[in-house]
Amino acid sequence: MSDKIEDLKKRKDKAKLGGGEDKIKVQHEKGKLTARERIELLVDEGSFEEIDMFVKHRATDFGLNKQHYPGDGVVTGFARIDNRPVAIFSQDFTVFGGSLSETHAEKIVKIMNLAMKAGIPVIGLNDSGGARIQEGVVSLGGYADIFLLNTLASGVVPQISVVMGPCAGGAVYSPAITDFIFLVKNTSYMFVTGPNVVKTVTHEEVSFDDLGGAETHATKSGVAHFIFENEIETLLNVRRLMSYLPLNFMDKPVELEFDVHKVLPEQRLNGIVPDNPNKPYDMKQIISLLVDDNDFLEVQPDYAGNIIVGFARIGGISIGIVANQPQVLAGVLDINASVKGARFVRFCDAFNIPLLVLVDVPGFLPGTEQEWNGIIRHGSKLLYAFCEATVPKVTVITRKAYGGAYDVMNSKHVRGDFNFAWPTAEIAVMGPKGAVEIIFKKEISKAENPEDEAEKKLSEYIEKFANPYIAAERGYIDDIILPQDTKIKLINAFTLLKTKVDKNPKKKHGNIPL
Ligand code: HXC
């Protein structure tokens, strides 16, 4: 018996070394951790239960029959984060460059299937040279099996991808289908075709990092939701993200204890919106004063900065925030902002995370660039997402809510549950200047002094329309509130809405304008 126990220990120790000590050294020299070290950092201490440690590939061509590494380049299993279960796979670059073989794919598919049955999130740590070249189409089949499961699991359990090395070719589409992508600066890259192919086809010279590094995807493509300086910071932030999420679509996010009596009027909120409606201010300041512990996990902070999305808690309740940012492009909605907002709203709705919407929006961005690239198609995604969302939805209009963007930004009309406005709100078809130029065009041009007439009409318009009272008279706004009281109003609203039930008509699935 003791021989057998020793033998098992030896086998496990060998498997834990992956591609061996030399390869581990190379991995470390690149500033990268091993697949197992990453898991250790990510999960609660000692909670990882590995499965399929002894799986071997079945390939025989190109000398592979003589090269076997137990586990075959991916570590899979189950663990806990903040004492809640997760399924994990972590690709091991020290074994055939983490490339994906038939059996490697089968291991990932196995934990994904179990995660869906158990209703627990899946976290994938990607570090792979792509399809195991020696296995050919069998490897491509393995990828397709994973893509299918990513798609089937979408909206069932949260799926998080942490790309910590190469992820190229068709392999990028697995992370792309998942809910969130984390990248590490300097060591991660994702692209469909690499710099060499790009050079051959388009004659462009581009480095790996410029083409598909973390910063590129965080600022230009919008592929990355989070990027961090190093692997440790990245993994700790995966833990942070998980704290806001439920385990699956039937679960609710964890609610933290909160003493509501401690919420006092926050005077600083009264002074943030400037008197001059054309002056910008930082919506993040408002968010920070509203959320518990000033703690806001912003998603895609460096992409489409005219809309802010992210997670926070308010009164202990996990919420998703969507907010216009007057400081960037005056908070206007453009193509990128609409798509960024829509995807976030749909994630929150899929996983029972209530939405707080902070509105200061002058409308949609005009111009040929926007029109020709399909602002109609893309802007409608945000509208669609808010319309179909059935989670608790609370809106606060801090200043401008003009035109179609008023409707889009979780107005009462698209099932906003509580719609508040600050006294500084201006809810109208368009800004006063533009409106006056259109509706009083004739009077102004015929007047003895057109400039004075325009001024007069402008003040009349501002007096009549640039305020929240007409909307409140109609019940489109439930209450006009003092900025200082916003937090307590929100806590009361989200608390009341905890038992909210709403649904959409029965259908196979909707047809969001993609
Ligand atoms: C088999 C691979 C491999 C692969 C790397 N290795 N990629 N083995 N299949 N796809 C092996 C190498 O032979 C090497 O083995 C070890 O992993 C480490 O690789 P290095 O090249 O030494 O590492 P590095 O210099 O860091 O370069 C990493 C790399 C490079 C940039 C990823 O290895 C590379 O270009 N690999 C090929 C990438 C590729 O073209 N993949 C197919 C893409 S198409 P030894 O024994 O020497 O240490 C694809 C389609 C997916 O993935 C389809 C989905 C639909």
Side-chain angles (χ1 to χ4, degrees):
M1 174 74 174
S2 64
D3 285 357
K4 290 195 172 167
I5 288 173
E6 274 315 303
D7 178 51
L8 173 64
K9 280 186 187 161
K10 265 192 207 151
R11 284 170 185 261
K12 288 203 164 182
D13 286 344
K14 181 172 187 294
K16 281 181 187 165
L17 279 179
E21 271 157 7
D22 291 349
K23 292 268 161 65
I24 292 175
K25 197 165 159 258
V26 175
Q27 178 84 346
H28 286 160
E29 279 165 4
K30 287 181 187 157
K32 290 161 66 177
L33 298 168
T34 65
R36 283 197 166 73
E37 287 165 345
R38 288 169 178 160
I39 293 175
E40 256 174 52
L41 277 166
L42 175 65
V43 305
D44 294 351
E45 200 178 339
S47 70
F48 183 57
E49 299 285 354
E50 186 171 346
I51 61 166
D52 282 344
M53 196 188 230
F54 301 115
V55 163
K56 282 183 179 179
H57 69 73
R58 306 182 188 108
T60 51
D61 290 335
F62 304 104
L64 280 190
N65 52 335
K66 297 199 189 85
Q67 278 182 288
H68 281 285
Y69 300 92
D72 202 27
V74 63
V75 181
T76 58
F78 299 88
R80 289 188 300 278
I81 291 181
D82 289 335
N83 219 14
R84 299 157 73 226
V86 287
I88 293 178
F89 70 85
S90 180
Q91 291 181 312
D92 183 351
F93 194 84
T94 69
V95 175
F96 302 116
S99 57
L100 187 128
S101 66
E102 179 188 25
T103 44
H104 178 132
E106 282 171 2
K107 286 179 66 172
I108 295 175
V109 163
K110 190 196 249 185
I111 61 146
M112 287 186 68
N113 270 322
L114 204 51
M116 280 171 72
K117 284 185 207 154
I120 62 172
V122 180
I123 302 177
L125 309 180
N126 298 69
D127 188 0
S128 164
R132 177 90 46 93
I133 295 166
Q134 299 90 327
E135 290 203 12
V137 69
V138 176
S139 166
L140 301 185
Y143 269 117
D145 292 341
I146 296 171
F147 300 154
L148 175 65
L149 270 182
N150 284 138
T151 306
L152 298 181
S154 179
V156 177
V157 293
Q159 298 179 83
I160 317 291
S161 297
V162 194
V163 178
M164 309 190 98
C167 182
V172 296
Y173 290 114
S174 170
I177 297 172
T178 64
D179 298 303
F180 292 103
I181 297 181
F182 287 71
L183 296 181
V184 189
K185 284 190 193 166
N186 303 317
T187 48
S188 309
Y189 53 89
M190 293 178 79
F191 38 68
V192 173
T193 50
N196 292 340
V197 178
V198 168
K199 192 172 173 199
T200 313
V201 177
T202 69
H203 310 294
E204 291 167 290
E205 296 253 9
V206 63
S207 68
F208 274 67
D209 222 35
D210 280 349
L211 184 64
E215 265 141 355
T216 293
H217 286 309
T219 58
K220 290 196 172 96
S221 70
V223 166
H225 298 92
F226 303 97
I227 66 165
F228 294 98
E229 290 297 325
N230 56 51
E231 296 197 5
I232 298 174
E233 219 184 297
T234 305
L235 293 166
L236 294 179
N237 275 286
V238 175
R239 289 181 63 96
R240 188 169 165 220
L241 172 64
M242 296 304 289
S243 72
Y244 295 106
L245 313 186
L247 297 179
N248 58 62
F249 79 105
M250 291 188 295
D251 189 27
K252 288 203 165 174
V254 173
E255 190 181 330
L256 299 184
E257 275 193 26
F258 186 87
D259 183 358
V260 83
H261 302 291
K262 287 199 178 134
V263 180
L264 300 172
E266 176 50 82
Q267 306 288 347
R268 282 174 290 179
L269 286 169
N270 296 337
I272 294 178
V273 176
D275 290 334
N276 178 349
N278 298 322
K279 259 192 145 175
Y281 62 92
D282 186 4
M283 187 65 94
K284 286 189 201 168
Q285 236 184 313
I286 294 178
I287 294 174
S288 171
L289 291 171
L290 289 177
V291 302
D292 298 352
D293 305 319
N294 316 107
D295 192 11
F296 177 54
L297 176 60
E298 190 173 354
V299 178
Q300 292 181 303
D302 303 313
Y303 181 77
N306 38 335
I307 204 163
I308 304 166
V309 300
F311 298 102
R313 283 198 151 73
I314 198 148
I317 300 168
S318 172
I319 57 161
I321 297 178
V322 180
N324 308 114
Q325 170 58 295
Q327 214 169 50
V328 179
L329 290 174
V332 77
L333 289 174
D334 61 0
I335 291 172
N336 291 347
S338 302
V339 175
K340 171 180 167 182
R343 182 158 170 82
F344 183 75
V345 167
R346 296 191 98 220
F347 175 82
C348 290
D349 188 47
F351 289 107
N352 310 317
I353 301 172
L355 287 163
L356 168 61
V357 184
L358 301 173
V359 182
D360 186 346
V361 63
F364 283 92
L365 183 63
T368 51
E369 201 255 351
Q370 289 288 307
E371 294 291 349
W372 293 347
N373 284 304
I375 182 67
I376 297 176
R377 201 157 43 87
H378 297 294
S380 59
K381 290 178 174 136
L382 185 59
L383 174 59
Y384 189 108
F386 274 126
C387 285
E388 78 171 344
T390 55
V391 282
K393 301 193 287 188
V394 180
T395 298
V396 180
I397 302 176
T398 59
R399 192 168 62 176
K400 295 169 194 168
Y402 290 164
Y406 155 76
D407 282 343
V408 170
M409 291 301 291
N410 197 40
S411 61
K412 198 64 167 175
H413 323 280
V414 301
R415 295 193 282 181
D417 295 302
F418 283 102
N419 291 64
F420 299 119
W422 284 3
T424 41
E426 299 173 17
I427 305 170
V429 173
M430 59 170 69
K433 198 163 175 294
V436 164
E437 277 165 12
I438 294 170
I439 55 179
F440 299 119
K441 193 172 157 189
K442 279 192 195 131
E443 281 101 318
I444 292 171
S445 65
K446 281 186 197 150
E448 230 170 80
N449 187 334
E451 260 177 40
D452 287 355
E453 186 63 15
E455 265 315 302
K456 203 177 120 219
K457 294 293 185 203
L458 191 66
S459 344
E460 267 175 37
Y461 185 92
I462 291 171
E463 170 81 19
K464 190 147 177 57
F465 288 119
N467 63 61
Y469 293 100
I470 296 169
E473 281 168 19
R474 298 248 166 197
Y476 299 163
I477 292 295
D478 297 300
D479 197 7
I480 302 169
I481 60 175
L482 294 176
Q484 66 182 39
D485 297 335
T486 308
K487 176 148 184 163
I488 194 71
K489 295 276 180 192
L490 292 178
I491 294 176
N492 290 341
F494 283 120
T495 305
L496 184 136
L497 290 167
K498 273 191 216 172
T499 45
K500 174 187 171 184
V501 179
D502 196 359
K503 39 181 196 300
N504 293 324
K506 198 169 179 318
K507 59 180 100 172
K508 186 172 176 195
H509 61 70
N511 187 13
I512 188 164
L514 293 175

